Amino acid sequence: MASILSRARQNAPLKALALDVVNSRCSMNPGALGFLIRCLGSVGLADEANNLFDQVKRIGLCVPSTYSYSCLLEALSKSRLIDLVEIRLKEMKDLGLEFDKYTLTPVLQVYCSSGQSDKALAVFNEMLEKGWVDGHVFSILVVAFSKWGEVDKAIELIDRMEERGIRLNEKTFFVLIHGFVSESRTDKALQLFNKVRKLGFCHSVSLFDVMIGGLCNNNEREKALLLYSEMKELGINPDSGILMKLISSFSEKEEELDRLLQECWEDVSSQPKNLLYSSVLQGLVCNGSIYTAYNLLRMVMGNDRNGGNVLAKYFLDEKEVISLNTNSFTSVINGLLSAGKVDLALTLFREMIQFGCNPTLLLYNGLIDALCKLNRLEESFELLRQMKEMGLEPTNFTHNCIFGCLCQLEDVKGAVDLVRKMRFYGHEPWIKYSTLLVKNLCKHGKAEEACKFLTDMSIEGFLPDMITYSAVINGLIEIKSVDTGLELFQDICARGYCPDVISYNILIKALCKAKRVTEAECLVNDMMLKGLVPSAVTYNYLIDGWCNNGEIDQAMLCFSKMFGKEREANVITYTTLVDGLCDYGRPDDALKLWDEMDRKGCVPNRIAYHALINGLCKCGRSSAALVHFNAMKEKEMKPDNYLYIALISAFLSDTNLPSVLDMLKEMVDVGNLPSPQDKNFPVIKDAICKLSEDARTSSSIRDLIEEGRIPDVSHSELVEDRHKPSI
């Protein structure tokens, strides 16, 4: 009864039968128990099989044997219940039951199915030592290797087993060849293919199809053609699928495709020529030979019969006329569109209609999309009109292509009018285009027009999202004032919108820039009450605001709140604080913070070094500034003119003239010396004068002047004095 129900896949009656066995206290031998469990396992009732096994044991209806356990392991293995398999295996060991081949085969199977290669190999090696490995056991592991992508291990295992006289069956060889090809290991697939041939297994069309397809995908065209020839020698007729794979592979060069068609024209002629012609066109397009495909199409249409296309001779036979269809044109038109040849695609599209082929909706959509990307709006509308005349309804994609073009052109009225028509079709405008329009309007100082557009969209029933509103808020802030942006923000919040962190950051940045940092902090508290986590960017705006307001302690307090993955202090945070601390005469704190940045693995960039070095110079810490200046150069960061000036000024203040000379020489060597018209030149002029007057440095300065590497400022002063009016 169990056998009949399991073969008929009658799971419910089979489960009821298992319950009846227990409830009726029906005694059974280990073989009967094993058979019933196998029936349950064969239809996926592994849990029921496991429960039945336990109940029969507990009640004492049967004392399970190795066979009973093996059947249970098989049922559990089929459902990949690896934990239960391991528990039952341990149970067998504890009971002192001997394992056999049929015990360990399902264990090997479940480990292979679960991808546990180490455990699978351990079981296989144990079975190998005991002489239990046969073709079936061997195929389980070798197919698993193939599925895991371990092609080399699979080949190694095949060689090992062949040495022991164990070989795979035909079906397993075919499965492995498919697997190796899917892993792009055609070298090993060919190796197995040759084994199949030597073993005398039947060569099927499907096997050649897989091998030739794999070789074509790997651009091993000559090997593919060799297999094709071998296939014909064996008397196996290639199907259209094999020919299409070869044609697609050989389409990179017109000459190669010609050679292929010469090689297999007898087989090609037996196939439907229209199908093969479409394959040739598709292959040429896919491989970038767009113009070859275009010319071949036009020649078959009857245009340019003497165009010189070497492939035309195969398809211009007057006895077998090629019937062009929409698919023939579609592949070439799509290829031209992908290559950016929109005008040529439009010309071919019109010729296609004249030829009597009806364009598809997808073809119209492709052309409209291409025209809209080029902002050719009128032509897009004309194609839309033609579509409707042909009874083709525009899709959401069609309308959104045109909507995107209108938004790109900042045509607010046109966009709203189209949205009204889209509503009639049940189509929704894509938010990304609405956002694009709003951003463009705001960028060009038309924030009020952007607001009106969003209002009109809302009236039509299409509510903008928070990203779009954020763009308008940012535009209003830049064009009008922070308060105008804040007013819109509060208005949309009142209407049920939930601003995100980016929306809040736009306002926080603006408030901090306007030195209204207290209000910005209130916004941060508000976003936290709504469950949003301020980002590092949020805190960076606040810290910058407090520093600009001269409240460095508030900035440090804000810094202390930056913890966790989303708001961890970054190089911008540290740079802002270092700059702020130096500005307010706290260089020691700035250096401590710099060391903390290094400890936390935050790598300073060029801007950070500039802030620290300039800040230390302003605080009269020229020696420390020089240390970090040299560290910056060691990291291959190029200092700018401004840093050299800052260091020279600091050294002049410390009357450290030798260091001034070193810095001046370096400026000259790297070509950073400012011209006399530069606003920083007075510092250089002052340095040259003082260095000229000092006995330690005067000779070096004279040498630099004589070499023409620095200007003679005493001469320039004399020239300036001559031009001063006499009193």
Side-chain angles (χ1 to χ4, degrees), residues 619-661:
C619 293
R621 303 287 290 273
S622 57
S623 298
L626 185 60
V627 169
H628 290 286
F629 180 79
N630 290 329
M632 176 186 179
K633 290 190 294 181
E634 284 172 9
K635 292 182 179 179
E636 297 183 353
M637 296 181 193
K638 188 178 178 182
D640 63 13
N641 199 330
Y642 183 71
L643 272 193
Y644 284 105
I645 297 294
L647 281 162
I648 287 172
S649 295
F651 289 137
L652 284 172
S653 298
D654 294 343
T655 62
N656 185 352
L657 293 181
S659 293
V660 172
L661 179 62

Side-chain angles (χ1 to χ4, degrees), residues 162-175:
E162 284 185 348
E163 288 172 5
R164 291 172 174 262
I166 303 169
R167 75 177 194 188
L168 299 170
N169 59 30
E170 183 178 2
K171 182 182 176 182
T172 309
F173 268 119
F174 287 5
V175 168

Side-chain angles (χ1 to χ4, degrees), residues 610 614 639-650 652 660 664 667 672-689 711 713:
H610 275 230
N614 185 53
D640 63 13
N641 199 330
Y642 183 71
L643 272 193
Y644 284 105
I645 297 294
L647 281 162
I648 287 172
S649 295
L652 284 172
V660 172
L664 184 64
M667 277 189 87
N672 268 357
L673 193 72
S675 67
Q677 291 76 33
D678 192 285
K679 64 179 181 179
N680 292 315
F681 187 73
V683 176
I684 299 298
K685 182 178 175 182
D686 184 34
I688 293 171
C689 289
V713 294

